[in-house]
Amino acid sequence: MPAAYKFFAEFAQTWGLMYFVAVFLSVLIYALAPSRKDRFDAASRMPLQED
């Protein structure tokens, strides 16, 4: 296996995982932020509202 392939494979695996964790934590913080509670509560009631 060429050294360049091994380097790029390890780089992609390591930084890909870190990127995924960062995106996951960002979405989690966005979804659970108290300042967005009213917006999400209103969105959850939208399907039940009559036009």
Side-chain angles (χ1 to χ4, degrees), residues 2-50:
Y5 173 80
K6 186 175 179 180
F7 169 76
F8 285 116
E10 289 176 2
F11 178 83
Q13 290 172 356
T14 303
W15 291 104
L17 176 64
M18 289 185 185
Y19 174 75
F20 173 76
V21 169
V23 169
F24 176 78
L25 291 176
S26 299
V27 169
L28 192 65
I29 290 169
Y30 172 80
L32 298 178
S35 63
R36 293 183 176 80
K37 184 179 183 336
D38 293 336
R39 183 185 307 171
F40 289 145
D41 285 343
S44 71
R45 288 190 299 271
M46 283 176 116
L48 304 175
Q49 293 177 349
E50 300 207 16

